[in-house]
Amino acid sequence: MIQKGEKEPLDKVGRPNIEIDYKQAEGLGSIQCSLSECAAVLGVDENTLSADPKFLGLWRKGKEKGKKSLRRTQFELAQQNATMAIWLGKQYLGQTEKQEISANQAVTIISDVKKE
């Protein structure tokens, strides 16, 4: 029985809070996982993750770390691999393999259509 001045205990309603492994979230971002892939691995709905600012910040930070790591590896490979060096040159230096051919000759148009 409830005494005067005491509040009646409330029954908890709704879903229980979900624990998100934020360290794992950053790791998933570092290997360029999409938001839906993170949701599947973490066992959480995608909408829950997209509404969590802490998760989004760590996930984006992980994605940027992953890009940095990939770029470092590519530049190391370019030291020994001509194909990689050419590809990086195209991506970052605007280099191309186009061969431009120009002709400086005048063009004469001859009409062979008969008028009736």
Side-chain angles (χ1 to χ4, degrees):
M1 188 155 177
I2 299 175
Q3 301 293 326
K4 187 176 180 182
E6 290 182 11
K7 292 184 179 180
E8 188 172 329
L10 300 174
D11 289 334
K12 290 189 176 187
V13 291
R15 294 183 181 171
N17 288 337
I18 296 172
E19 295 291 325
I20 297 174
D21 183 352
Y22 291 109
K23 189 170 186 166
Q24 189 176 15
E26 187 174 342
L28 291 169
S30 72
I31 59 171
Q32 306 303 306
C33 285
S34 68
L35 195 58
S36 62
E37 291 168 334
C38 290
V41 170
L42 296 171
V44 179
D45 187 78
E46 189 174 341
N47 292 328
T48 302
L49 294 180
S50 64
D52 184 343
K54 184 176 180 181
F55 169 81
L56 291 175
L58 290 169
W59 176 64
R60 288 181 181 130
K61 181 180 178 183
K63 288 181 83 69
E64 294 305 314
K65 282 183 175 181
K67 288 178 189 177
K68 179 184 74 171
S69 178
L70 179 59
R71 180 172 284 121
R72 182 185 315 107
T73 301
Q74 287 177 317
F75 275 96
E76 288 171 0
L77 283 173
Q79 301 296 317
Q80 303 158 5
N81 185 327
T83 304
M84 180 60 77
I86 291 167
W87 185 84
L88 289 171
K90 289 177 184 178
Q91 299 302 308
Y92 294 104
L93 304 175
Q95 298 171 341
T96 63
E97 293 182 22
K98 293 181 192 174
Q99 293 182 0
E100 294 185 26
I101 300 172
S102 61
N104 294 328
Q105 295 180 347
V107 177
T108 306
I109 299 174
I110 303 173
S111 174
D112 62 349
V113 178
K114 295 181 183 178
K115 295 182 182 178
E116 290 183 29

